[in-house]
Amino acid sequence: MSTTVFPSSTFRPPSIRCSNDRQALFNRIAPVYDNLNDLLSLGQHRIWKRMAVSWTQAKMGDRVLDVCCGSGDLAFLLSNKVASNGKVIGLDFSKEQLMVASSRSFSKNCFKNIEWVEGDALDLPFADNYFDAITMGYGLRNVVDKRKAMQEILRVLKPGSNVSILDFNKSNELLTSSITEWMIDNIVVPAASVYGLSEDYRYLKRSIREFLTGKELEKLALEVGFSTARHYEIGGGLMGCLVAKN
């Protein structure tokens, strides 16, 4: 199998079964993804990501995976958790996002223990029971088969280990869901329009509407075989994090 090697990074040839338009979307927004995250969350996304990593209980020496790693925020946090004798793999289907992550690794205060892999969340290129902890940030909502993605995470996660899945919270509370949609229409899309990406970010509202509630995520995790699952509402109920144990 041939590979293309970048500084501090490896891109494995992918076999991706995903919606082509979603892959193209994340390729387009890659150059401004981090700036928009900071702007739109007022920097709060960094707190939520630290919480998600903490819930994995990753420790020094662990081998960990960040699925749908994007530009690498969770992978960098995991790197400091597992330290120099640990290993982090960041996987994404967007080569452009991975190139941004790779370039950021030179300026981040983290260990040089991260490998970037271009691959499919629905067909993870790893052996069974391979990882001590897994994260997934803002990715489950965007995969075309959420059950299959959860099954794959369970397959590669060691028994007794945790996955932590951070995403927007689909709330049953009318006020919370109304606030989320108002923010998307009046803050997110106008901010994205500065970069010429307003149409790309309009998908957010629809993707949240089509996502699972916290209780539904817990139910899905238990159905595919996780032993425990709990969904935490964070960020005033606007975000949520599913923590499940194999």
Side-chain angles (χ1 to χ4, degrees), residues 69-237:
C69 66
S71 58
D73 278 353
L74 288 170
F76 295 130
L77 292 171
L78 287 166
S79 172
N80 287 321
K81 279 281 187 182
V82 303
S84 59
N85 60 333
K87 175 71 175 178
V88 180
I89 295 179
L91 178 139
D92 204 280
F93 68 176
S94 168
K95 189 168 187 176
E96 280 72 14
Q97 289 276 14
L98 291 169
M99 291 175 70
V100 171
S102 176
S103 67
R104 292 178 72 207
S105 65
F106 294 102
S107 61
K108 300 296 287 188
N109 181 26
C110 65
F111 294 97
K112 306 305 179 185
N113 56 359
I114 307 176
E115 179 184 1
W116 307 106
V117 176
E118 185 181 2
D120 187 359
L122 304 183
D123 187 18
L124 296 174
F126 310 110
D128 296 356
N129 307 320
Y130 192 69
F131 293 102
D132 298 290
I134 297 177
T135 56
M136 190 179 200
Y138 303 99
L140 187 62
R141 176 172 41 86
N142 292 305
V143 299
V144 295
D145 188 338
K146 295 169 180 57
R147 180 175 294 272
K148 176 61 175 173
M150 292 295 291
Q151 289 171 336
E152 277 293 278
I153 289 171
L154 178 67
R155 178 183 65 79
V156 301
L157 186 63
K158 291 180 180 178
S161 296
N162 290 343
V163 61
S164 181
I165 300 175
L166 174 67
D167 215 311
F168 283 91
N169 178 43
K170 180 181 178 180
S171 177
N172 288 320
E173 297 293 329
L174 179 60
L175 178 60
T176 302
S177 59
S178 297
I179 290 173
T180 300
E181 294 199 354
W182 183 91
M183 290 178 65
I184 292 170
D185 289 336
N186 294 278
I187 299 176
V188 174
V189 172
S193 69
V194 174
Y195 299 93
L197 296 169
S198 58
E199 291 304 315
D200 293 312
Y201 273 81
R202 288 187 198 280
Y203 89 98
L204 262 178
K205 188 159 66 174
R206 184 182 74 252
S207 72
I208 296 170
R209 283 178 176 172
E210 295 172 353
F211 197 35
L212 304 176
T213 65
K215 290 297 182 185
E216 290 169 338
L217 286 169
E218 291 175 348
K219 182 173 182 287
L220 174 61
L222 295 174
E223 284 177 353
V224 302
F226 285 92
S227 61
T228 63
R230 182 171 179 183
H231 184 266
Y232 299 91
E233 292 189 357
I234 57 179

Side-chain angles (χ1 to χ4, degrees), residues 5-77:
V5 181
F6 290 74
S8 300
S9 308
T10 299
F11 293 85
R12 300 182 188 172
S15 174
I16 298 176
R17 300 195 310 271
C18 66
S19 172
N20 289 334
D21 59 338
R22 293 186 192 185
Q23 188 175 11
L25 183 153
F26 283 97
N27 284 336
R28 284 195 301 273
I29 67 176
V32 298
Y33 185 69
D34 293 309
N35 288 340
L36 277 174
N37 280 346
D38 279 327
L39 175 65
L40 299 175
S41 72
L42 300 178
Q44 294 298 298
H45 72 100
R46 301 184 186 280
I47 297 173
W48 306 330
K49 288 169 181 174
R50 289 191 189 98
M51 294 172 71
V53 167
S54 178
W55 272 316
T56 67
Q57 299 181 357
K59 60 188 183 302
M60 289 180 61
D62 278 353
R63 180 166 52 206
V64 298
L65 171 68
D66 182 25
V67 183
C68 302
C69 66
S71 58
D73 278 353
L74 288 170
F76 295 130
L77 292 171

